[in-house]
Amino acid sequence: MLTEYVLFFFLLLLIAALLNGEFAFTLLYLVFGAVLLGWVWSRQAGKAMRYSRKFDGRVFWGEEIPIRIEVENTGWLPVPWLYLHESLPVELAPGGPVKHVVSLGPNGRTEIVYHLQGRKRGCYPIGPLFAACGDPIGLARPQEYSAAPDHITVFPKIIPLTSLRLPSRSPQGTLRHHQPIFEDPARLLNKRDYVAGDSLRRIDWKSSAAVGRLQVKQFEPSIALETSIFLNLNSAEYESQHRIDAVELAIIVAASIANWVAGQRQAVGLVTNGLDSGRGVPPIPPRKGRGHLMRLLEVLARLQNAPAVSLPALLRKESPQLPWGTTVIVITGRADEALFDELIQVQRRGQNVVLILVGRAINVQKAAERARNFGFPFYAFQNETGLDIWRRS
Amino acid sequence: MSGEPALSRQNERLTVALAHLIVGLMTLCFALVCLTLAETAVASWDGRGVILICALIIVEASLTTWLLKKREMSPAQVLAYRLAEWMILLLLLKVFAEARFGFASLLENLRAAGQNFWGAVFSADFVIVSVIAFAVWQVCVLFNGAIAEMEITYLTFGSDSPPPIAPETRQPFQETLGRHFLLTGGLIALLGGLGLQTDASRPFLQAQTTAVIVTYFALGLILLGLTNFTSLATFWRYNRVKVAPNLSTRWVIYSLVFLSVLVGAALWLPSHYKLGLLDTLRILVGFFVAFMAAIYYLILVVLAGLQRLATRLFGVSSASTPPPPPPPFEPEQYLQQSGREIGKGDIVNSLFFWAIFIAVLVFAFRQFLIANPQLAAILRRFGPIRFLASLWGWMKTALGQTSEGAAALLRRGLNRLRRPDRRLAAAAGRGYLNPRRLPPRQRVFFYYMALIRRAGESGAPRQDWQTPYEYETTLLPTLPEAGESLDGLTEDFIRARYSRDEVTAAQAEHSRSAWERLRQALRARQKSQASDEQAGR
């Protein structure tokens, strides 16, 4: 169209020159003023636009995520139309991108709200936001802009566990235990009459004075459950046919166990050979607290399976760094000789081993038998419903 | 719920009806210009009542074009229909051309047909009326064809039914209308210019013709705005874009503002000039020279005054006289044809005119080059153009830098005036900040930033992509003895940075103590690294 305008421009010049038509200049101002004014308008209006996205960057699986896009016109020129196109990941937004057209007055602002569904764990880009604006006449080309994307992390699915029993040998913790050798002097259970042989340190002098005979304190046995989850995401150690489901299940199991352990106010850590954004994940030492759990869940949200160091090698490298009495929960898709050899070494170092096989693993019976022989708990889950054994009250 | 789509449909129909009305008015403007030209060119011809004929022709052309588009007839059928239509139209035109001066005139023409059939039928009056009517009809058909296309596209893209036409087809009707607008506009300008050239003695006619031509262009811009809206609305509807409810209202308001500004500016800006471009440039250069001479004279006067003062102080008699003032600036002396009377207003008017003219020229050329990058590439190969382009680029950069520098200076000055604690600002400017004077939240930030800086110096820099937790995980193996402090400081920072909880002085103190322990650990690490390096040498 521009060629036609240029030709028209020269025609007007010709009329002005040959026919002495002064009105030709008025027309020139009118038509080229429309192009120029439109160009300046859309350019300046586009430059004055500010975009910001407001949302919670971390969400749990299954949650609905409200996302607000705030669009502000910081200039004095109104924006007749502003087309906004927000690119969204198909995993969270099956309906495709969000598209809106708004009009803003001088220094005006508007807000666009849409919702995403946290249906799949991962770290997803929200955006970029493409914007286009133009003048009302449309002689000038619309100006296009884009705003950088943000990221949202969807935590893996967490199955609330109620009756998970993990072995521990760490005394003086906060979890009840049935063995009296783990008695905790901070957890008073009862008082009884003194019998010969009781330690004098256990006598409760105030109660003895009140009752009139010697009373001794009885303490509740307790343990500290320091747990480290070894999550195997070496793709070679999963059956290729069911790898995707098995890996997802492994991550769900790890997240659920971490959630349960953190809920018991115990320390939990994570060691994995999976990749986070294409890089290896450094071991996360066992720590307590919700903040630490969030950190674990963030890593679990982004983990991907890949050809990596084998699980026995990972155990050989990382388990000696863990303190005595730590519970080592191994989650994997395959249990072979090498793994059992390494697990025995872990057990000999005074750490407790729990082996969990996920997905459609082969030789499950054989693995269960060997685990029983070596004396550590063994579980095999083909799907999420298998975790129901830990949900019974 | 069903009220909203119904209202939308109503608005769509209103938009299309408005487009038809605008096209009708534009064609009427065209008819008026044609009539003016005919009346001035053929002095004996009387154009009484022809404008009414043109109005009827416009209505007829609009209706038939709309009907033909609706029925989707084959080209052969259209041709047959149009031929039949023109046969009837010519007959009616003949009757009207002869009867508009009275029934007796028609009868007289019929009688004359018996003697000279062709001469009586194709009388000058009838030919002129027919030519004008055909031109008006043709313009109307052209515009209405594009409007009908717009109507079909706009109204067929329903939200309920699947769209029958791909969105790529949204452009043609807009472009076609734009082309017709320019083509007819060029024709109107040419005919108007010719009309005024033929009879320049009537200023009223000149003003009337100018008003009609400007009206045509103003209506054309409204039509383009309307088609732009319908085109975009169709595209948005096709792509299921949510449109704000106030969009159309605001669009109308902003379009009116846009056009008012434009028409106002076009009518206000000078459309004539008394001085040619070279004369204007000469006057401009002359003014510049006179200005510089005045400055030079002022400097000389000051120097002469100083000299007189010095000679008086030392008691020396001086016979120096003050320099003669420069001659006053006379624009006439710079004109090619001397003796012309030029007022100051004429000079300003001419300056303004040529400045705008050159600006329009440059803008048009620039836009043309942007639209044709191959041509721009060819032009860039020429040495002088390359030099000019680089000169322009240099000037643009220099101007940009100067303006940025000035803006930054102004901003800094304003900030300095606004900031309550100037000492703090001054300290920050020097790169020194006393954490004790900061609020608790800022203190936590300070200690965490100090950790990042110091850890970076010790060979464990934070990557841009790392979150505080991730950085902690990376840093922990290098500082195992200060794990708790690191954890504590990280937690404090996250709470201070990302939560709305109040950060107390005790928490800031906790961060400080954590930072102190970490600093010691980092220092120890640095020392051990240095000793390792020395041992290695």
Side-chain angles (χ1 to χ4, degrees):
Chain A
M1 262 317 273
L2 202 75
T3 312
E4 281 91 336
Y5 277 95
V6 172
L7 287 174
F8 180 70
F9 172 71
F10 284 110
L11 178 74
L12 286 180
L13 282 188
L14 212 66
I15 291 167
L18 298 178
L19 303 176
N20 196 22
E22 287 181 355
F23 70 90
F25 289 110
T26 307
L27 299 186
L28 197 74
Y29 298 146
L30 200 63
V31 177
F32 280 88
V35 179
L36 185 68
L37 195 62
W39 180 69
V40 171
W41 189 336
S42 52
R43 203 175 144 91
Q44 291 303 316
K47 273 185 185 172
M49 297 308 297
R50 299 284 177 273
Y51 313 95
S52 64
R53 228 178 259 112
K54 288 193 174 165
F55 63 98
D56 196 349
R58 290 161 183 80
V59 291
F60 286 95
W61 185 92
E63 261 187 340
E64 196 178 66
I65 314 147
I67 294 181
R68 293 171 199 282
I69 303 175
E70 279 187 7
V71 186
E72 188 185 0
N73 177 13
T74 56
W76 54 271
L77 272 172
V79 184
W81 62 272
L82 178 72
Y83 173 64
L84 299 163
H85 178 118
E86 172 99 306
S87 300
L88 295 171
V90 73
E91 291 88 349
L92 307 185
V98 168
K99 291 175 275 189
H100 277 262
V101 180
V102 294
S103 177
L104 290 171
N107 294 310
R109 62 165 66 211
T110 188
E111 194 179 69
I112 293 165
V113 183
Y114 64 91
H115 292 83
L116 298 178
Q117 291 289 333
R119 301 187 311 170
K120 194 172 187 304
R121 70 165 185 99
C123 181
Y124 301 99
I126 305 295
L129 177 74
F130 293 102
C133 65
D135 65 302
I137 304 297
L139 292 184
R141 196 187 292 261
Q143 300 288 314
E144 289 175 1
Y145 301 88
S146 69
D150 290 310
H151 288 84
I152 192 166
T153 303
V154 179
F155 292 144
K157 186 177 180 180
I158 295 172
I159 295 172
L161 307 175
T162 50
S163 57
L164 178 61
R165 290 211 167 83
L166 297 176
S168 173
R169 292 176 197 161
S170 304
Q172 311 286 306
T174 55
L175 295 178
R176 281 181 169 189
H177 202 266
H178 56 278
Q179 286 191 12
I181 59 164
F182 296 123
E183 272 186 351
D184 183 355
R187 298 165 73 95
L188 185 65
L189 180 70
N190 205 351
K191 285 168 195 169
R192 61 167 170 77
D193 289 341
Y194 175 82
V195 290
D198 280 342
S199 169
L200 288 178
R201 286 183 186 172
R202 289 197 168 193
I203 296 174
D204 186 349
W205 295 106
K206 282 184 184 172
S207 306
S208 301
V211 177
R213 31 181 215 281
L214 283 174
Q215 297 288 305
V216 287
K217 294 178 207 165
Q218 280 190 305
F219 298 113
E220 192 178 14
S222 70
I223 52 159
L225 183 64
E226 193 162 88
T227 309
S228 190
I229 299 169
F230 276 73
L231 177 61
N232 183 20
L233 290 182
N234 177 17
S235 49
E237 293 178 63
Y238 284 87
E239 291 304 315
S240 57
Q241 283 179 327
H242 312 288
R243 187 181 296 148
I244 295 170
D245 291 340
V247 163
E248 287 304 314
L249 182 60
I251 290 169
I252 289 172
V253 171
S256 304
I257 291 174
N259 180 54
W260 181 83
V261 176
Q264 302 297 315
R265 302 190 176 187
Q266 302 301 303
V268 60
L270 177 73
V271 181
T272 180
N273 49 5
L275 298 184
D276 175 3
S277 313
R279 296 161 191 262
V281 182
I284 301 171
R287 294 278 165 80
K288 294 177 186 175
R290 300 299 295 176
H292 184 69
L293 176 66
M294 291 297 125
R295 191 186 330 175
L296 288 184
L297 292 177
E298 265 178 43
V299 173
L300 286 171
R302 294 193 300 255
L303 276 179
Q304 300 292 328
N305 72 87
V309 61
S310 68
L311 181 61
L314 188 71
L315 279 164
R316 200 176 308 130
K317 188 183 169 206
E318 299 298 340
S319 65
Q321 319 293 329
L322 299 168
W324 183 91
T326 304
T327 302
V328 173
I329 300 176
V330 177
I331 303 170
T332 181
R334 184 191 293 171
D336 53 12
E337 286 290 327
L339 177 65
F340 275 104
D341 288 349
E342 204 52 52
L343 289 177
I344 292 161
Q345 295 304 318
V346 172
Q347 207 173 25
R348 279 181 184 167
R349 273 195 292 272
Q351 291 153 347
N352 304 296
V353 175
V354 177
L355 178 61
I356 301 173
L357 273 186
V358 290
R360 299 191 178 190
I362 50 169
N363 294 331
V364 177
Q365 291 300 326
K366 198 175 165 187
E369 198 177 320
R370 290 189 67 128
R372 196 162 49 247
N373 290 342
F374 292 125
F376 51 77
F378 172 83
Y379 302 93
F381 302 124
Q382 284 200 357
N383 47 43
E384 287 172 25
T385 52
L387 287 168
D388 286 348
I389 57 160
W390 288 337
R391 300 182 70 183
R392 288 173 204 136
S393 56
Chain B
M1 286 295 282
S2 61
E4 207 171 314
L7 191 68
S8 169
R9 286 275 138 185
Q10 208 176 341
N11 283 341
E12 284 161 11
R13 291 212 166 85
L14 192 71
T15 308
V16 173
L18 193 63
H20 279 294
L21 183 70
I22 292 169
V23 163
L25 290 173
M26 283 168 74
T27 321
L28 210 58
C29 288
F30 175 74
L32 278 169
V33 172
C34 289
L35 275 175
T36 310
L37 177 67
E39 279 180 336
T40 49
V42 186
S44 59
W45 186 70
D46 189 349
R48 248 184 303 163
V50 178
I51 194 68
L52 182 69
I53 282 283
C54 290
L56 291 172
I57 287 275
I58 289 166
V59 173
E60 189 274 340
S62 304
L63 280 172
T64 51
T65 314
W66 183 75
L67 277 171
L68 285 175
K69 274 279 175 188
K70 281 271 168 192
R71 294 197 175 175
E72 292 182 355
M73 294 159 87
S74 67
Q77 283 176 314
V78 172
L79 188 68
Y81 181 87
R82 287 300 191 198
L83 279 174
E85 180 189 355
W86 261 98
M87 291 298 283
I88 297 165
L89 276 179
L90 281 173
L91 196 67
L92 289 172
L93 279 172
K94 176 67 189 167
V95 171
F96 172 79
E98 301 305 334
R100 67 192 166 120
F101 303 115
F103 198 64
S105 172
L106 178 67
L107 286 175
E108 192 183 328
N109 188 262
L110 282 175
R111 270 197 297 274
Q115 295 160 4
N116 180 10
F117 178 77
W118 294 111
V121 171
F122 294 102
S123 63
D125 201 38
F126 171 63
V127 169
I128 292 171
V129 171
S130 300
V131 166
I132 292 173
F134 182 74
V136 169
W137 181 86
Q138 186 55 49
V139 166
C140 195
V141 164
L142 274 177
F143 272 115
N144 275 299
I147 294 288
E149 190 66 42
M150 180 187 100
E151 186 183 346
I152 289 166
T153 315
Y154 186 43
L155 297 182
T156 323
F157 277 76
S159 52
D160 303 327
S161 57
I165 314 162
E168 286 76 28
T169 56
R170 74 186 183 86
Q171 281 296 339
F173 73 80
Q174 202 183 359
E175 278 186 13
T176 313
L177 266 173
R179 237 173 246 130
H180 294 340
F181 164 66
L182 285 182
L183 185 74
T184 317
L187 203 60
I188 281 189
L190 194 66
L191 296 177
L194 282 170
L196 296 176
Q197 184 76 4
T198 316
D199 190 356
S201 58
R202 290 152 66 187
F204 175 71
L205 184 74
Q206 194 158 0
Q208 189 192 339
T209 310
T210 307
V212 168
I213 295 172
V214 170
T215 307
Y216 167 84
F217 278 91
L219 285 170
L221 289 176
I222 293 174
L223 182 70
L224 288 182
L226 206 66
T227 50
N228 184 35
F229 176 76
T230 49
S231 160
L232 286 168
T234 311
F235 176 74
W236 294 332
R237 197 186 306 157
Y238 180 78
N239 286 287
R240 304 281 186 267
V241 179
K242 279 186 187 167
V243 180
N246 61 352
L247 188 89
S248 47
T249 317
R250 285 194 172 183
W251 192 295
V252 171
I253 293 167
Y254 298 147
S255 297
L256 288 177
V257 170
F258 184 95
L259 284 169
S260 307
V261 169
L262 200 64
V263 173
L267 292 175
W268 176 74
L269 286 171
S271 60
H272 66 281
Y273 55 96
K274 272 204 171 174
L275 296 175
L277 179 62
L278 289 177
D279 279 341
T280 311
L281 280 176
R282 267 193 218 106
I283 288 174
L284 205 64
V285 172
F287 178 75
F288 181 71
V289 169
F291 181 70
M292 295 309 287
I295 289 174
Y296 178 65
Y297 170 70
L298 279 176
I299 294 167
L300 282 183
V301 165
V302 172
L303 286 176
L306 286 173
Q307 190 197 7
R308 257 204 311 278
L309 195 69
T311 50
R312 267 189 205 170
L313 278 173
F314 293 106
V316 183
S317 61
S318 169
S320 68
T321 50
F329 173 66
E330 295 289 345
E332 285 80 6
Q333 64 183 331
Y334 297 100
L335 297 178
Q336 204 170 17
Q337 299 168 333
S338 54
R340 272 167 68 190
E341 291 258 333
I342 296 291
K344 282 196 180 100
D346 293 332
I347 294 170
V348 174
N349 193 51
S350 298
L351 265 173
F352 209 42
F353 173 83
W354 286 113
I356 293 167
F357 184 75
I358 290 167
V360 168
L361 203 67
V362 169
F363 176 73
F365 186 63
R366 187 176 174 272
Q367 292 296 318
F368 188 71
L369 284 185
I370 289 170
N372 298 283
Q374 294 92 348
L375 181 68
I378 292 166
L379 283 176
R380 250 182 242 122
R381 280 185 213 146
F382 294 106
I385 290 173
R386 211 167 42 232
F387 170 74
L388 282 175
S390 62
L391 187 73
W392 172 246
W394 176 81
M395 274 171 64
K396 226 167 115 175
T397 316
L399 268 172
Q401 281 174 351
T402 313
S403 103
E404 267 178 30
L409 201 70
L410 191 71
R411 214 166 28 239
R412 220 178 296 143
L414 283 172
N415 282 346
R416 199 168 288 176
L417 285 172
R418 277 179 200 149
R419 191 164 290 179
D421 190 348
R422 292 193 193 168
R423 278 182 304 168
L424 195 66
R430 289 195 297 271
Y432 168 75
L433 206 62
N434 187 353
R436 285 180 192 163
R437 290 186 181 174
L438 293 173
R441 193 181 294 272
Q442 300 291 331
R443 280 172 70 188
V444 176
F445 291 173
F446 175 85
Y447 293 126
Y448 188 74
M449 292 301 162
L451 166 71
I452 288 175
R453 183 176 55 80
R454 189 61 73 87
E457 287 167 5
S458 323
R462 190 185 81 89
Q463 305 300 321
D464 289 342
W465 48 268
Q466 282 181 316
T467 63
Y469 284 140
E470 286 168 339
Y471 183 53
E472 185 195 343
T473 315
T474 318
L475 198 58
L476 200 59
T478 59
L479 299 169
E481 69 279 13
E484 278 189 19
S485 305
L486 182 61
D487 198 31
L489 185 56
T490 307
E491 289 289 346
D492 284 349
F493 172 71
I494 284 167
R495 201 170 299 126
R497 176 70 182 79
Y498 300 109
S499 82
R500 289 181 184 174
D501 298 348
E502 194 187 346
V503 180
T504 60
Q507 283 169 330
E509 190 55 29
H510 175 261
S511 299
R512 192 197 61 76
S513 56
W515 157 237
E516 287 297 336
R517 284 192 292 277
L518 283 163
R519 184 159 66 173
Q520 283 168 9
L522 285 165
R523 201 176 286 161
R525 182 182 141 81
Q526 273 178 325
K527 274 182 189 168
S528 70
Q529 277 178 339
S531 61
D532 286 350
E533 276 176 19
Q534 278 178 352
R537 278 175 205 160

